[in-house]
Amino acid sequence: MNRKRILFILFLLSPTFICTAQKIVSAKFLISDTKKGIGAIELYLDNYQVVGINSNGEIAYIDGEERENNFGDVEYEGQFDKNGVQTRPKNGKNLKVTYYDQWDMHDPQGKIKTIGNITFTYYNKFDMHDTFGTLKSIGNIPVTYYGVFDMHDPKGKVKSIGAVQIKYFNAFDDKRLYGRIKSIKGNSKAVFVRKMTDRDKPE
């Protein structure tokens, strides 16, 4: 009787586990004082995997295994390009990776579309005032940038990631500081943003 009851409870719970698979538990973002956009992203998923994404929007590692080591069990869309460099990952350790292609007419081709069940969106041809191809959201985490309506602020710099707000020294501040990060507010365990340091930069 107890065994049947346990199996029944497990049966009831199993759809929950399936529905929550491959969601973002927490996300860390690095931004730069001197460059536009996002310097790096690290996603912690509910299946205990960690995915790193570099400043070019490419997958840098899965579960901490560097790309140079072929991501361990990662499959690639091809083998090697004309320069002998291994092509972009297609799958990795129970994570399927897809990319925007020619069928996505209004979106930037070649950008990551999904990692597992997580969808990536980008500012596209319908976003007239935003830079085409910049990251718009990862899952339910939206990303905004300073743009044409922010007259005194540095254009193209990250304005917010989720609930985190980023302020920069602007036209009202010392010209030598213009565009540098002034404050980052709203960090949480779910979404954490920090300034990139020399230690974070690739050698």
Side-chain angles (χ1 to χ4, degrees):
M1 187 71 175
N2 287 338
R3 185 178 177 184
K4 288 183 179 179
R5 185 175 296 175
I6 291 169
L7 289 173
F8 180 69
I9 291 170
L10 288 174
F11 174 75
L12 290 176
L13 289 175
S14 60
T16 305
F17 289 117
I18 292 169
C19 292
T20 58
Q22 297 169 0
K23 287 188 177 180
I24 299 171
V25 174
S26 66
K28 293 183 179 180
F29 296 81
L30 293 181
I31 56 174
S32 172
D33 253 343
T34 56
K35 295 181 180 179
K36 296 178 181 179
I38 297 170
I41 303 168
E42 197 166 61
L43 303 175
Y44 295 79
L45 310 184
D46 63 354
N47 62 356
Y48 304 105
Q49 288 184 295
V50 181
V51 179
I53 300 168
N54 64 24
S55 60
N56 295 321
E58 301 166 341
I59 294 176
Y61 54 85
I62 296 175
D63 280 343
E65 295 183 15
E66 297 180 1
R67 181 165 185 162
E68 299 88 85
N69 296 329
N70 301 329
F71 286 147
D73 299 327
V74 171
E75 295 177 19
Y76 287 83
E77 290 190 331
Q79 292 184 352
F80 296 89
D81 65 15
K82 62 182 179 181
N83 298 315
V85 178
Q86 203 154 26
T87 55
R88 60 190 184 183
K90 185 177 181 183
N91 299 297
K93 290 190 175 179
N94 303 319
L95 282 181
K96 182 180 180 181
V97 182
T98 66
Y99 299 84
Y100 286 92
D101 58 24
Q102 68 270 22
W103 305 109
D104 303 293
M105 295 181 290
H106 304 292
D107 297 288
Q109 294 183 23
K111 293 276 190 177
I112 296 170
K113 189 173 187 177
T114 61
I115 296 178
N117 298 327
I118 301 161
T119 301
F120 288 62
T121 65
Y122 304 85
Y123 288 93
N124 62 22
K125 293 178 181 178
F126 296 110
D127 300 296
M128 296 182 292
H129 301 293
D130 297 282
T131 303
F132 180 82
T134 52
L135 184 65
K136 190 174 188 178
S137 69
I138 299 178
N140 62 352
I141 304 171
V143 182
T144 65
Y145 304 82
Y146 286 94
V148 293
F149 300 110
D150 302 293
M151 295 183 291
H152 305 292
D153 296 287
K155 308 296 183 291
K157 290 275 192 167
V158 179
K159 188 175 188 178
S160 67
I161 301 176
V164 182
Q165 302 292 318
I166 301 102
K167 301 288 185 184
Y168 301 84
F169 290 98
N170 60 22
F172 298 111
D173 298 304
D174 189 326
K175 290 182 179 179
R176 294 172 296 179
L177 298 175
Y178 183 83
R180 293 187 176 275
I181 297 167
K182 192 173 189 178
S183 67
I184 299 174
K185 295 182 178 180
N187 275 331
S188 66
K189 289 183 179 179
V191 179
F192 189 89
V193 182
R194 71 173 175 84
K195 182 171 73 172
M196 182 178 284
T197 64
D198 290 336
R199 187 177 58 184
D200 299 310
K201 296 174 184 177
E203 297 179 359

